[in-house]
């Protein structure tokens, strides 16, 4: 049994931000059309606020089954390690035999940032000022993705570690902001790329017309933006069934009665035209991403096709 092995370097060499964007457009369009097979995620809590996860999906009923298993460990910063680690496995659609094992960390950054910017193309296509809060792998990936989808926008970065923020900004042609409140007040798009258990911005800082995207509120205990913001927002999520049970701010807003399930729209329905959104210049829009397996399934299909075309062919025998 020969399995294709793709390292992080392999993924970065063939899975460009543009390819990532198109893979996510396919993923959410198929999800919105009801063609993708998308079971619920599995979340396994761990020590020190860590959580392990399993995402599985098929982009079509007869497509390969794809599963990503990994973890988010916020305390890794003190160890000098990245917070997120994962591996993606791809199974043959007919036999179920393993076809490929792919470094998941590199895929996660690219597919998550591509999904956010895909959503921003629908929600705030003409934004002139984008603020990214955070300095980790997701922040970096989002800055690179916005350079593709919003090339005319001014990019800004805020981080608690100003030296890290300066490094990230220099790599992506962005400006460092040292006052988070003022940065949020002046931004057209605010993207939160943290794993915080508590809000990192305040509701009052978000001015009329702003679009706020939360990448780190991927579990019920992750609440990096104030749930009260949802009460005065048009709320869009990556996948409605997942967000209603797993997105911390959504779960809290539903529990308090400030948000109803019917008020939540997902990205797939916007892409397929099943839902429409008319936005005035003063409307606040909040987009929340929990992540779903179809994103990895679509990304894996794109990566394996590119690997075949480019001869990236490291293999290992599992039998």
């Amino acid at each position: 049994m020969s399995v294709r092995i793709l390292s992080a370097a392999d993924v970065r060499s063939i899975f460009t931000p543009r390819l990532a964007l198109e893979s996510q457009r396919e993923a959410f369009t198929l999800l919105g059309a009801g063609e993708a097979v998308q079971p619920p995620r599995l979340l396994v809590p761990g020590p020190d606020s860590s959580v392990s996860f399993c995402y599985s999906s098929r982009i079509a009923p007869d497509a390969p089954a794809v599963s990503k298993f990994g973890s988010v460990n916020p305390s890794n910063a003190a160890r000098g390690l990245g917070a997120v680690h994962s591996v993606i496995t791809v199974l043959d659609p007919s036999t179920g035999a393993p076809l490929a094992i792919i470094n998941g960390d590199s895929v996660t950054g690219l597919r998550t940032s591509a999904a956010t910017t895909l959503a921003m193309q629908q929600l705030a296509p003409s934004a002139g000022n984008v603020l990214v809060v955070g300095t980790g792998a997701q922040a970096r990936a989002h800055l690179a993705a916005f350079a593709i989808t919003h090339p005319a926008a001014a990019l800004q970065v805020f981080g608690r570690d100003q030296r890290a923020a300066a490094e990230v900004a220099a790599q992506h042609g962005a400006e460092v902001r040292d006052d988070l409140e003022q940065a949020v007040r002046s931004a057209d798009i605010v993207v939160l790329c943290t794993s915080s258990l508590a809000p990192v911005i305040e509701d009052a800082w978000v001015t009329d017309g702003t679009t706020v995207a939360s990448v780190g509120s991927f579990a019920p205990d992750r609440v990096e933006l104030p749930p009260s913001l949802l009460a005065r927002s048009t709320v869009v999520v990556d996948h409605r069934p997942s967000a209603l049970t797993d997105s911390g701010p959504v779960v809290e807003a539903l529990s308090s009665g400030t948000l109803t399930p019917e008020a939540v729209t997902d990205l797939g329905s916007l892409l397929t035209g099943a839902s429409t959104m008319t936005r005035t210049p003063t409307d606040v829009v909040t987009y929340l991403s929990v992540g779903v397996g179809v994103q990895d399934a679509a990304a894996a299909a794109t990566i394996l096709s590119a690997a075949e075309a480019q001869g990236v062919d490291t293999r290992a025998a599992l039998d």
Side-chain angles (χ1 to χ4, degrees):
M1 184 185 299
S2 179
V3 179
R4 190 186 299 270
I5 307 294
L6 294 171
S7 67
D10 293 331
V11 172
R12 287 192 292 267
S13 72
I14 60 181
F15 194 46
T16 65
R18 289 189 185 277
L19 280 180
L21 179 64
E22 292 314 308
S23 77
Q24 297 312 291
R25 192 184 309 277
E26 177 187 34
F28 286 104
T29 300
L30 292 173
L31 191 60
E35 297 179 28
V37 180
Q38 184 55 69
R41 297 185 309 165
L42 175 65
L43 296 177
V44 185
D48 300 324
S49 299
S50 68
V51 62
S52 295
F53 55 80
C54 182
Y55 296 83
S56 296
S57 183
R58 299 179 192 263
I59 56 174
D62 58 350
V66 177
S67 180
K68 181 171 70 178
F69 185 54
S71 65
V72 179
N73 291 62
S75 60
N76 275 358
R79 303 181 179 104
L81 300 173
V84 182
H85 296 283
S86 63
V87 63
I88 294 172
T89 56
V90 183
L91 305 183
D92 184 277
S94 299
T95 68
L99 287 178
I101 299 174
I102 306 172
N103 174 278
D105 305 351
S106 51
V107 176
T108 298
L110 284 162
R111 66 80 149 155
T112 302
S113 57
T116 302
T117 54
L118 174 65
M120 295 304 103
Q121 284 183 320
Q122 316 306 310
L123 304 174
S126 59
N129 184 316
V130 177
L131 170 67
V132 174
V133 180
T135 57
Q138 280 295 346
R140 297 167 191 259
H142 276 75
L143 288 165
F146 273 108
I148 301 297
T149 60
H150 293 68
L155 302 178
Q156 301 182 337
V157 180
F158 174 87
R160 289 177 298 179
D161 183 335
Q162 285 288 291
R163 184 166 59 181
E167 177 188 341
V168 172
Q171 291 175 345
H172 296 278
E175 176 190 355
V176 178
R177 297 297 300 266
D178 57 9
D179 186 322
L180 181 56
E181 177 179 351
Q182 291 306 312
V184 171
R185 288 184 180 278
S186 62
D188 298 315
I189 295 175
V190 178
V191 185
L192 305 177
C193 297
T194 78
S195 56
S196 179
L197 301 177
V200 297
I201 64 171
E202 295 185 15
D203 189 343
W205 300 353
V206 179
T207 58
D208 289 350
T210 304
T211 303
V212 181
S214 172
V215 178
S217 298
F218 60 87
D221 65 340
R222 260 61 176 189
V223 190
E224 67 178 351
L225 60 76
S228 59
L229 179 62
L230 275 58
R232 63 184 184 96
S233 299
T234 298
V235 179
V236 181
V237 298
D238 57 352
H239 183 229
R240 192 169 175 275
S242 298
L244 293 180
T245 58
D246 291 342
S247 174
V250 174
V251 171
E252 286 200 18
L254 291 172
S255 178
S256 67
T258 58
L259 180 70
T260 64
E262 295 74 25
V264 178
T265 302
D266 65 18
L267 178 56
S269 66
L270 292 178
L271 291 172
T272 60
S275 298
T276 58
M277 191 186 78
T278 302
R279 182 175 187 178
T280 72
T282 60
D283 288 342
V284 174
V285 177
T286 301
Y287 173 75
L288 300 107
S289 165
V290 296
V292 284
V294 70
Q295 295 180 256
D296 301 303
T302 298
I303 291 166
L304 291 178
S305 177
E308 188 72 30
Q310 298 179 33
V312 179
D313 197 31
T314 301
R315 292 182 178 270
L318 296 185
D319 52 5

